[in-house]
Amino acid sequence: MPSTTSSGGLRVALIHPNVPHQDLFDRLAQSHLPPLGVLYLASALRAEGHDVRVMDLNLDGAPEAMIPELRRFRPDVVGMGSLAPSFEHVVNLSTRIRERLDHDYTFVAGGADASVRPEVYADTELFDTVLVGEAEQTLTALCDALPQIPKMNGIVPPGERTSPPAAVIRPDDMPFPARDLLPLKRYRGGPAYKIRRHTTSIFTHRGCAYTCTFCEKGVHDGPMRFRSARSMFEEVREIVEKYGIRDIRFIDDVLMINRKILTEFCDLVIENGLRFDWLCCSRMDLMHPELLAKMRRAGCYRLELGVESGNDRILEMTKKGARTRQAIEAMTAARQAGIEVIANYIVGFPSETVDEMRETIDFSLRLKSDFAIYFAFVPYQGATIADQYHLGWGPLANGFRDKSRHYLVDTETVQGMVDRAYTRFYFRPDFIARRLTTARSAWLIADLARLAGLYTARKARRAFSRAQAAFAAVTRPTI
């Protein structure tokens, strides 16, 4: 039988694996924030009387420090999160936990990647079960049923490899994430995602109404479920007043999809005089001028838009229902409201040519968003486009892309295009001048300068490596 705490609950350790960076300049795109999914699980478990510890390896990446903490805590349940780029790291870390923890415990995998590929995690034979989908209810049910594994959707039965996803949850039924379990002020958002030194994040809905072909929904698939404006406001007020953080990132894919609730939220912020800065994601077809104006009054300073491509053929492939002209219109609407824009782009889609990738980069420069983030296309498993073209995902492959005849451009060239895009965008005199004149503090300028230095050094190393390879090829003796 599992041991119990003085309150009668179990000891549960939840681990959030760190995300590997392909390169240093990814820090513009990667913004380390508290793992809200894990903190939601923690709050659900604590509501049932369990003692919970959260370990975020993005803060303390060395597992050597985590293992002794686990041995001292002696958890009854260990929950391991999952993200597709972290799979090899998760396997290595889980193997180490199995080798080093010598007491009885139940080992559970869950999270985005495990929900899409539960059979892959089951096949490692490291875990007693895998949770599929939203896990607040299934994890608490598992803890209640131990040492048995309960039979319910969302929990892979012993000896099996998959399960239907868990029942979806109404977001307003959930307690706020257990932010007190992590040192919030140790998190640092990337320069594109903040205007203050300390920043954190919030979710406002679950599910997705769209069918973008390059996206895998993972945990939060299913019908759209929205929190009330009052619930959103109260959580923001807690973040500001309890934790002293006034820069908040709404990390929903499309915050502006529910115009009524967002308008009510902005009204609550304005009427109550709650002062904080915030940014969010939206779509190009949801940029209503009246709503943007109200968002600006309520503290919104920046929007993240998925422009994705500067080529209409590629945009048609993504099934976003967007065209390049809408990106121009969206940019104009945001500027008129006084809101900055981060524009996201993807290059290297199957069937995309070098000329089409150049078209995207050129378009991004003409659009002149305040920030631009460039990604090499990755065939996430569960994404429609990956299934359509039978694209393999390889955690150990270059850029996570297995070779395919559908890629007209090799991965190394695609990554080179991403490098050139960053160089052309961020080393423009007008971008540098605008950042210097609009940055609120010296530390933000220092962040950007540090990234520029890292990027320049990385380019020099890559150029040196290419020169070495070329020299070796020329001087290699022939037989």
Side-chain angles (χ1 to χ4, degrees), residues 140-414:
T140 53
L142 175 68
C143 289
D144 290 343
L146 287 177
Q148 303 300 315
I149 303 294
K151 295 181 179 180
M152 62 185 297
N153 285 355
I155 300 178
V156 175
E160 298 189 22
R161 302 173 72 237
T162 190
S163 165
V168 297
I169 297 169
R170 290 183 65 248
D172 271 359
D173 291 342
M174 291 301 305
F176 296 159
R179 291 185 172 88
D180 59 294
L181 293 178
L182 288 171
L184 295 189
K185 292 193 174 180
R186 285 187 58 195
Y187 288 90
R188 294 286 187 269
Y193 300 99
K194 65 182 180 183
I195 56 175
R196 297 177 184 266
R197 183 177 290 275
H198 301 298
T199 181
T200 195
S201 55
I202 183 174
F203 270 127
T204 70
H205 67 255
R206 295 189 180 189
C208 185
Y210 299 103
T211 56
C212 303
T213 59
F214 56 88
C215 179
E216 55 89 6
K217 301 298 193 307
V219 175
H220 299 306
D221 200 356
M224 294 289 292
R225 289 147 289 144
F226 298 95
R227 293 175 60 181
S228 66
R230 172 59 65 177
S231 172
M232 293 161 54
F233 174 77
E234 293 299 339
E235 185 173 348
V236 168
R237 180 153 62 182
E238 179 182 87
I239 291 169
V240 171
E241 296 180 354
K242 181 176 179 179
Y243 299 105
I245 296 176
R246 293 182 177 272
D247 192 345
I248 298 176
R249 181 179 175 187
F250 289 80
I251 58 175
D252 312 272
D253 289 336
V254 191
L255 179 67
M256 295 174 68
I257 188 172
N258 193 316
R259 189 174 176 180
K260 177 178 180 294
I261 290 178
L262 183 54
T263 298
E264 292 173 358
F265 169 75
C266 291
D267 286 339
L268 285 169
V269 171
I270 295 166
E271 291 165 5
N272 287 274
L274 185 61
R275 300 182 63 83
F276 71 106
D277 302 301
W278 53 282
L279 71 157
C280 65
C281 300
S282 189
R283 284 172 54 99
M284 295 181 285
D285 55 356
L286 296 176
M287 302 287 280
H288 308 293
E290 302 86 358
L291 179 57
L292 289 169
K294 180 158 287 190
M295 290 166 59
R296 183 70 192 99
R297 285 181 59 205
C300 178
Y301 65 89
R302 196 170 292 156
L303 280 169
E304 187 173 7
L305 290 175
V307 179
E308 316 307 1
S309 180
N311 177 277
D312 282 333
R313 184 186 78 84
I314 299 299
L315 284 175
E316 174 62 29
M317 183 187 297
T318 69
K319 301 302 181 187
K320 291 194 68 162
R323 292 291 183 268
T324 50
R325 61 175 173 76
Q326 289 176 288
I328 298 169
E329 294 166 358
M331 191 71 185
T332 300
R335 283 205 178 104
Q336 289 175 345
I339 297 175
E340 291 187 342
V341 171
I342 306 166
N344 292 334
Y345 302 93
I346 303 172
V347 295
F349 283 95
S351 82
E352 187 174 16
T353 66
V354 168
D355 285 342
E356 287 172 326
M357 286 189 275
R358 289 195 184 110
E359 193 175 344
T360 289
I361 296 168
D362 291 342
F363 180 78
S364 74
L365 298 173
R366 292 196 304 274
L367 193 63
K368 290 187 175 181
S369 57
D370 299 277
F371 291 89
I373 308 298
Y374 302 91
F375 300 94
F377 169 79
V378 173
Y380 289 108
Q381 300 307 284
T384 302
I385 199 167
D387 295 337
Q388 177 185 350
Y389 288 94
H390 307 289
L391 301 175
W393 158 272
L396 298 181
N398 188 18
F400 305 111
R401 296 152 50 111
D402 287 341
K403 290 184 178 180
S404 168
R405 63 183 177 84
H406 297 290
Y407 293 130
L408 302 186
V409 183
D410 64 83
T411 298
E412 185 175 350
T413 301
V414 172

Side-chain angles (χ1 to χ4, degrees), residues 44-151:
L45 289 166
R46 292 208 301 193
E48 297 297 319
H50 302 295
D51 183 10
V52 184
R53 302 280 175 88
V54 173
M55 302 173 186
D56 183 2
L57 295 185
N58 286 302
L59 288 182
D60 301 300
E64 290 76 16
M66 182 196 68
I67 299 293
E69 185 176 350
L70 284 173
R71 290 171 68 93
R72 286 191 297 270
F73 184 48
R74 295 183 64 81
D76 304 297
V77 177
V78 177
M80 176 65 71
S82 67
L83 295 168
S86 301
F87 175 73
E88 294 298 323
H89 173 66
V90 166
V91 170
N92 292 335
L93 179 59
S94 300
T95 300
R96 191 171 304 186
I97 290 172
R98 281 297 196 193
E99 292 171 347
R100 299 286 299 278
L101 293 193
D102 54 7
H103 69 279
D104 291 333
Y105 60 95
T106 300
F107 204 177
V108 180
D113 194 38
S115 292
V116 174
R117 309 186 297 163
E119 69 283 355
V120 173
Y121 289 80
D123 288 348
T124 66
E125 299 183 351
L126 289 166
F127 305 103
D128 296 297
T129 187
V130 180
L131 304 184
V132 179
E134 299 173 22
E136 287 89 349
Q137 293 177 346
T138 50
L139 185 54
T140 53
L142 175 68
C143 289
D144 290 343
L146 287 177
Q148 303 300 315
I149 303 294
K151 295 181 179 180

